[in-house]
Amino acid sequence: IGAGGLGDPIVAGLALSDSRMILSGAIPAAAASSEQVHRGHPHDVLFGVNTSSDGLLAVGSNGRLWQSRDGSQWQSNSNVGDSRALLAVSERQGNLLAVGQQGGIFHSAGDGWKAVEAPVKERLFAVAQGDFGLAVATGAFGAVLCSQDGGRSWQQSQIDWPALIGQNYQPHVYNAAIDARGRIYIVGEFGMIARSDDAGKSWQSLHSGEASLFGLALSDTGLGYAVGQSGTVLRSRDGGESWKAITSNSDAILMDVAIRADGKAVATGIRQALSISPTSSQARVLNHDAFLESWYSDIAVLGNAFYAVGEQAKVIKISL
């Protein structure tokens, strides 16, 4: 994984065919503020960030774990495992999981990080946890792994991809989430959104299209967003049962999205960030220098603020 800018062929584990985006001066910018709260060395990268019971956790290059209680002060005291890049992290009730390059999966329950045997060697882009030990990790070439013991052991979900996506192909699965009912959602290539109601044993298609989807967020209220290539923003108001595109006013590659408790959302990506109101039919562009200069591969919510992470281990605080 490259640690630098847009010239790298792979950013945050995603093969990007075109990192350009189009901005129109007529697009209204949302009323919001942003500030850089952390920046690492030039070759550092933060690929994943997530809310934890004690603030925020972030992972990135060289297997490093970063922590912050308030979103402003960040520390990296140790590596999770080896030097492989980590792309995503999850914490639930003290149970920690991190995933990354070469099928790397690492687990900690307060007794130090341990490498977990994975059934695949493909790069893992995402990890999420639910109740009762349910967890999911997803990655390249159709890798969908499920655990029912908090990530201590994993089984590969046997998915009939031609039946699910209508193509004889194993798509990259870029993101995943588990809702309050224990249902697993995955997103990826070909506009794929799919769901399993039985811990990965069977799957149903909820959406398909042309643009790959990289980011996914679900709220307990039934509001959900999926974002991806060409400024694609999909919204669900019924707990993921149906998805409808909304106007994004962007052609950017959007890499992740997060939802605040009041339903407002922010999507970030390649030189672009958007704010989305749950009552609006279109997103609004955040024309801030911090976003126009860099890429941000993941975003999380702490309190009322959004925190996006990306190249040079930058952390940007976004207030709406």
Side-chain angles (χ1 to χ4, degrees), residues 174 188-192 207-214 227-234:
Y174 290 116
E189 291 185 285
F190 313 119
M192 178 191 67
H207 182 272
S208 63
E210 296 184 0
S212 292
L213 298 174
F214 302 135
V227 300
Q229 288 178 321
S230 305
T232 298
V233 178
L234 304 177

Side-chain angles (χ1 to χ4, degrees), residues 159-221:
I159 301 176
D160 184 348
W161 288 113
L164 187 66
I165 65 174
Q167 300 190 52
N168 187 23
Y169 183 80
Q170 293 179 318
H172 295 332
V173 185
Y174 290 116
N175 220 318
I178 301 176
D179 69 9
R181 296 170 57 182
R183 302 180 298 181
I184 301 174
Y185 290 78
I186 57 174
V187 301
E189 291 185 285
F190 313 119
M192 178 191 67
I193 304 177
R195 188 182 75 208
S196 173
D197 297 346
D198 53 10
K201 296 180 180 65
S202 63
W203 297 84
Q204 61 177 300
S205 175
L206 301 174
H207 182 272
S208 63
E210 296 184 0
S212 292
L213 298 174
F214 302 135
L216 173 67
L218 302 173
S219 74
D220 292 340
T221 65

Side-chain angles (χ1 to χ4, degrees), residues 77-121:
N77 297 323
S78 63
N79 283 22
V80 168
D82 51 36
S83 61
R84 283 178 287 182
L86 297 173
L87 304 182
V89 63
S90 173
E91 188 266 359
R92 192 174 184 88
Q93 298 177 346
N95 194 68
L96 288 155
L97 295 171
V99 301
Q101 292 283 68
Q102 300 173 350
I105 303 178
F106 301 89
H107 172 263
S108 174
D111 52 353
W113 288 94
K114 298 177 178 65
V116 178
E117 184 177 353
V120 299
K121 295 299 182 183

Side-chain angles (χ1 to χ4, degrees), residues 1-16 44-49 59-61 85-88 99-101 123-126 138-140 172-175 213-215 253-256 268-270 295-299 309-312:
I1 289 182
L6 300 176
D8 293 335
I10 298 178
V11 176
L14 308 179
L16 305 179
D44 286 339
V45 184
L46 290 176
F47 292 117
V49 65
V59 291
S61 51
L86 297 173
L87 304 182
V99 301
Q101 292 283 68
R123 179 184 298 143
L124 297 175
F125 300 127
T138 61
H172 295 332
V173 185
Y174 290 116
N175 220 318
L213 298 174
F214 302 135
I253 295 172
L254 302 174
M255 300 174 74
D256 198 35
T268 55
I270 307 296
W295 57 262
Y296 298 90
S297 56
D298 208 358
I299 187 168
V309 302
E311 63 176 331
Q312 297 182 29

Side-chain angles (χ1 to χ4, degrees), residues 256-270:
D256 198 35
V257 61
I259 306 173
R260 202 166 62 182
D262 62 359
K264 292 184 178 180
V266 171
T268 55
I270 307 296

